[in-house]
Amino acid sequence: MKNKKDDLKKIFAKNLKNKRKDKNLTQAELAEKIGLSPSFITEIENGRKAPSFSNIEKIASILETPPWVFFFENEYTFKSEFNNENLFSFELKNAINNSIDDFLKNKQK
C-alpha cells in the first residue's frame, strides 16, 4: 500500500519545482527570498522533506501562486477546478499583502 504522505510530498515537490522554474528562480534564489537554506529547498523538491504551512504560504507568495495549487496532481485538474474569479481574488489579496509588507519595511527604515 502506498504511503499517502509520501505521495503528497512528491506532488508538492514536482509542482514547486515547475512553478519555481516558471519564474526563472534558482533554488538558492527562492531559498533566500523565503529565509530557508538552499539545501532545504533541494530536500523539498526531491520529496524528502515537507515545508511548514508558514513556509508554504511564503513560497506561494514569492511564486505568485495560490498555496493549494501545489497539491494538485496535474495541471489539467487545476485548470478545470480553478476559475478566473478565484485567480483574480488571489492576485488581489497577494498584491495587497505585498503592498502592506513594502509599506511596513519602509516605515522601519
Side-chain angles (χ1 to χ4, degrees), residues 20-78:
R20 176 183 58 76
K21 287 183 174 186
D22 286 347
K23 294 290 183 181
N24 295 314
L25 289 173
T26 66
Q27 289 177 336
E29 290 168 334
L30 177 61
E32 182 180 333
K33 288 178 181 284
I34 58 177
L36 296 174
S37 71
S39 62
F40 189 65
I41 298 296
T42 299
E43 294 288 311
I44 294 170
E45 286 190 2
N46 288 325
R48 291 189 294 265
K49 300 265 181 167
S52 66
F53 289 125
S54 175
N55 285 331
I56 291 170
E57 289 176 332
K58 290 176 188 176
I59 290 167
S61 178
I62 295 301
L63 298 179
E64 299 174 328
T65 303
W68 58 88
V69 169
F70 294 102
F71 298 98
F72 282 93
E73 287 195 67
N74 61 53
E75 193 82 14
Y76 174 76
T77 302
F78 167 70

Side-chain angles (χ1 to χ4, degrees), residues 7 11 14 16 24 37 42 44 54-55 57 68 83 87 89 91 98 106 108:
D7 290 344
I11 291 166
K14 181 186 86 171
L16 171 58
N24 295 314
S37 71
T42 299
I44 294 170
S54 175
N55 285 331
E57 289 176 332
W68 58 88
N83 62 39
L87 183 57
S89 175
E91 289 174 345
N98 289 338
N106 288 331
Q108 292 175 349

Side-chain angles (χ1 to χ4, degrees), residues 84-98:
N84 286 337
E85 184 178 316
N86 290 337
L87 183 57
F88 176 77
S89 175
F90 169 77
E91 289 174 345
L92 181 59
K93 289 175 190 174
N94 198 38
I96 291 168
N97 286 337
N98 289 338

